[in-house]
Amino acid sequence: YTSHFPVEADTQKAVSALGQLLAERAARQPKPAPLPQKREPVFLDPYEPFEASLKKSVEKYVYVTDGNLVVDLDDMQVPMTADTFNNLTRNIYTTEIGKQGGEKIVRLSDQWFQEKTRRTLRTMSMRPDQPYPVFVEAGVDHLNTYEPNILPTTGDAGIGMAFIETLLPVENERRYFLQWLGHKIDHPADRGPGIIMVAHETYGTGRGTLVKLLRALFSEKLVQNIDFKTLSGQTYQSQYNEWLADSLIVAVDEAQEVAPSLSKWQSRSNAYEHLKSIIDPSNDHITVVRKGSKNFSGRTFASIIVMTNHAAALILPAGDRRLSILENGQPQPQSYWTAFHAWLSDPENVAAFASELIEVSLEGYNPYTAPPMTAAKADMVEA
């Protein structure tokens, strides 16, 4: 806008009038609607009217400028490039008559990028410490990929609690784990010390079943399995650490893996030195390294659980303050696991179990202080 006023005019009054005109014009411009906290999945149908598909696409997809990505709000774990988005929606289009009378194809992806009500965000990350699905940091909007797992409110927690008692028969160790898990459910952004479960030369105690229970509690996409070599930095794949940025729980199946070029002692000692920086509950700022994308500074909220069948899986110093070592119980008959998995298949039972965990007393528990010395930890230090 350009305005011309004579020198003797009341410029302050004119500027105020101009500001009012601009405000009225801005109010008429379409604005992106805020993203709802809960929404039903949106599906595009190439056979429905084009305008309806365009409206749905604005609800379904957001644009993240850092990385030039299109993100499907129904599947935020797999962001797309603009080319992928274009190919995905290529069969959704309409036709218009051009100036020369010819037919012109108008594609959904082109219209979506031009749409003024499309939501644009700076970055995307999993942030359980921030509101879902969008949070503001440093005055900029960011997409939060952390979606709380909403469970039904009724059910029976008994079989779940009995399972924990079977898995961890030592009372003080079981109490600590229940505090650790209850606090994680209620405060997902707190990492807590790492957990190592030891079933010395014993198999079938239920650690794999525990991971299934954790997936039911936190959701499939937030609980990830990795191997010990990746966790302890023993392979070239260890440079990629997106699992720290994308998970609430990271589970390791077996901690007894030895680099062939090193002695057992040296391999286990190196593993501990690498682990202590990753597991440290106070260390939540990391450089995230993903395949096919540039490195960036991010946050981790991942809590680590390592399973082992060896009491000497790590060279553990007596003063360690990052790991809680817990002893597992004995194998159970197949009938026990059949009954447990039947219980686990009902989300209402899982919800009741989660509710009971939250009610566990946290007296004496702090996710940022050293866990108590257990008999299993003393054995590992000695070994």
Side-chain angles (χ1 to χ4, degrees):
Y1 293 82
T2 303
S3 299
H4 303 277
F5 304 102
V7 174
E8 65 274 12
D10 185 348
T11 56
Q12 186 62 41
K13 181 178 179 181
V15 169
S16 296
L18 179 60
Q20 183 176 355
L21 288 171
L22 289 173
E24 291 173 357
R25 182 178 186 278
R28 295 195 298 271
Q29 297 301 309
K31 297 179 180 179
L35 294 175
Q37 287 196 350
K38 290 298 294 182
R39 52 187 293 279
E40 293 297 322
V42 176
F43 301 97
L44 301 183
D45 184 352
Y47 295 103
E48 68 182 351
F50 182 79
E51 290 301 322
S53 292
L54 179 60
K55 181 180 178 181
K56 284 185 177 181
S57 71
V58 172
E59 298 175 17
K60 184 176 179 64
Y61 300 102
V62 297
Y63 180 63
V64 177
T65 59
D66 188 4
N68 189 27
L69 299 171
V70 179
V71 181
D72 183 348
L73 294 176
D74 297 324
D75 188 11
M76 290 191 287
Q77 302 302 312
V78 188
M80 296 176 281
T81 64
D83 286 342
T84 301
F85 177 62
N86 182 53
N87 291 333
L88 180 69
T89 59
R90 182 172 290 276
N91 63 340
I92 304 178
Y93 59 88
T94 188
T95 57
E96 296 178 353
I97 302 301
K99 294 181 180 179
Q100 305 299 322
E103 200 172 66
K104 176 185 176 183
I105 294 178
V106 179
R107 300 197 181 279
L108 177 74
S109 58
D110 296 331
Q111 291 298 103
W112 182 84
F113 271 107
Q114 296 175 38
E115 177 60 44
K116 292 182 175 64
T117 59
R118 155 177 72 76
R119 191 65 187 255
T120 300
L121 304 142
R122 176 69 60 83
T123 68
M124 60 180 294
S125 58
M126 191 195 77
R127 293 292 299 272
D129 61 326
Q130 294 287 352
Y132 170 85
V134 173
F135 65 94
V136 179
E137 198 166 63
V140 177
D141 286 352
H142 305 268
L143 180 64
N144 187 357
T145 64
Y146 172 72
E147 182 178 3
N149 190 26
I150 307 301
L151 294 164
T153 56
T154 59
D156 179 15
I159 290 180
M161 298 304 291
F163 164 69
I164 298 298
E165 187 171 347
T166 301
L167 180 68
L168 299 167
V170 181
E171 184 179 357
N172 65 317
E173 296 180 10
R174 180 172 64 253
R175 183 188 313 114
Y176 182 81
F177 180 73
L178 289 173
Q179 290 177 321
W180 180 92
L181 186 54
H183 185 88
K184 185 68 177 179
I185 291 173
D186 209 24
H187 303 85
D190 293 345
R191 302 185 70 193
I195 300 289
I196 293 184
M197 293 195 173
V198 181
H200 185 61
E201 297 182 354
T202 303
Y203 300 87
T205 59
R207 279 97 56 87
T209 300
L210 173 65
V211 175
K212 293 179 181 178
L213 175 57
L214 295 175
R215 291 186 188 280
L217 287 169
F218 294 101
S219 82
E220 287 281 340
K221 64 184 179 182
L222 294 177
V223 179
Q224 185 165 343
N225 282 83
I226 65 169
D227 59 58
F228 187 69
K229 287 182 178 180
T230 299
L231 179 68
S232 57
Q234 296 183 36
T235 74
Y236 76 96
Q237 294 285 352
S238 299
Q239 63 181 304
Y240 304 117
N241 64 351
E242 69 278 0
W243 44 271
L244 276 173
D246 298 339
S247 309
L248 277 185
I249 302 287
V250 174
V252 181
D253 290 331
E254 176 51 56
Q256 181 70 2
E257 297 186 30
V258 179
S261 60
L262 300 173
S263 69
K264 282 188 176 182
W265 187 93
Q266 189 62 61
S267 178
R268 296 172 187 176
S269 178
N270 291 352
Y272 173 77
E273 291 301 317
H274 186 81
L275 283 179
K276 68 181 185 182
S277 62
I278 293 178
I279 291 179
D280 193 333
S282 63
N283 181 21
D284 60 358
H285 285 75
I286 60 172
T287 298
V288 182
V289 183
R290 296 185 190 275
K291 284 185 179 180
S293 63
K294 65 179 181 179
N295 302 350
F296 63 93
S297 295
R299 299 280 298 276
T300 177
F301 304 94
S303 300
I304 312 294
I305 297 182
V306 179
M307 320 299 187
T308 181
N309 296 104
H310 302 273
L314 293 174
I315 302 298
L316 200 64
D320 169 78
R321 57 183 179 82
R322 300 171 178 88
L323 292 168
S324 176
I325 316 298
L326 310 177
E327 179 183 345
N328 292 130
Q330 296 301 309
Q332 299 299 312
Q334 184 56 47
S335 58
Y336 175 89
W337 300 119
T338 300
F340 178 82
H341 283 95
W343 172 87
L344 183 61
S345 65
D346 187 342
E348 294 188 353
N349 292 335
V350 177
F353 180 70
S355 297
E356 190 155 331
L357 285 173
I358 293 173
E359 295 300 319
V360 169
S361 171
L362 297 179
E363 183 180 357
Y365 178 80
N366 186 323
Y368 297 103
T369 60
M373 177 62 74
T374 62
K377 187 168 187 175
D379 288 345
M380 188 170 288
V381 170
E382 177 65 22

